[in-house]
Amino acid sequence: MSFTLRAVKVPPNSVNLEEARSRVFEFFKTACRSIPSIMEIYNLDDIVSKSQLRSIIASEIRKNANVTNPKVIDMLLFKGTEELNNILEHAKQRHHVIGQYVLGPQGLVQDLDPKDQGLSSFLKNFYKSNYF
């Protein structure tokens, strides 16, 4: 299996916070420009809209809004760029993208309920009596 690896160019470290901030905005623009191809690659049209994906990207960036060290911001930008490249190169499967970015960490709505709510009394007693 042969495929071409694109070299991820690591820019020099940001000198100050303003330069790091401008790089964050450039990354956000790049990520938003790649949304149509992500929607096409992973066939996400029936699940999420482009504007919802844009807001998901913005919320992921805002999670680290309190970071003020330019070196840490550069490291986060590198990780974000690597993640974006993995998504665009189809290194993730559809359910990975849906689980990480569309559904989020809370998962499906039915997964929020306690797992043993629908169990019969027989199964509850069985699970209590067996130690596994």
Side-chain angles (χ1 to χ4, degrees):
M1 175 189 304
S2 96
F3 55 90
T4 59
L5 290 175
R6 287 190 294 164
V8 178
K9 295 180 182 176
V10 180
N13 288 338
S14 300
V15 177
N16 55 19
L17 189 59
E18 287 304 314
E19 184 181 351
R21 180 182 160 109
S22 67
R23 287 184 182 184
V24 171
F25 287 131
E26 285 301 315
F27 172 72
F28 178 72
K29 288 177 189 177
T30 303
C32 287
R33 287 182 188 128
S34 64
I35 287 176
S37 59
I38 292 171
M39 297 280 287
E40 182 181 341
I41 290 170
Y42 294 101
N43 194 19
L44 297 176
D45 293 322
D46 56 339
I47 296 174
V48 67
S49 68
K50 293 177 184 177
S51 63
Q52 287 173 326
L53 269 182
R54 191 176 305 111
S55 65
I56 290 168
I57 292 170
S59 68
E60 289 291 321
I61 290 175
R62 284 189 193 112
K63 282 181 183 177
N64 299 307
N66 58 349
V67 178
T68 57
N69 186 347
K71 290 184 179 183
V72 175
I73 294 172
D74 288 339
M75 185 265 312
L76 290 170
L77 279 174
F78 177 75
K79 288 174 69 174
T81 305
E82 187 177 346
E83 182 74 14
L84 182 62
N85 284 338
N86 284 341
I87 290 172
L88 289 172
E89 291 173 356
H90 210 233
K92 291 182 175 249
Q93 293 183 5
R94 184 174 190 254
H95 67 278
H96 294 141
V97 174
I98 291 171
Q100 286 180 328
Y101 300 108
V102 177
L103 295 177
Q106 68 269 15
L108 295 172
V109 174
Q110 64 257 23
D111 285 344
L112 296 176
D113 294 333
K115 296 293 182 193
D116 62 348
Q117 255 185 346
L119 298 179
S120 66
S121 60
F122 171 77
L123 284 177
K124 287 180 185 177
N125 290 333
F126 178 77
Y127 289 143
K128 285 179 187 176
S129 65
N130 293 308
Y131 301 110
F132 62 95

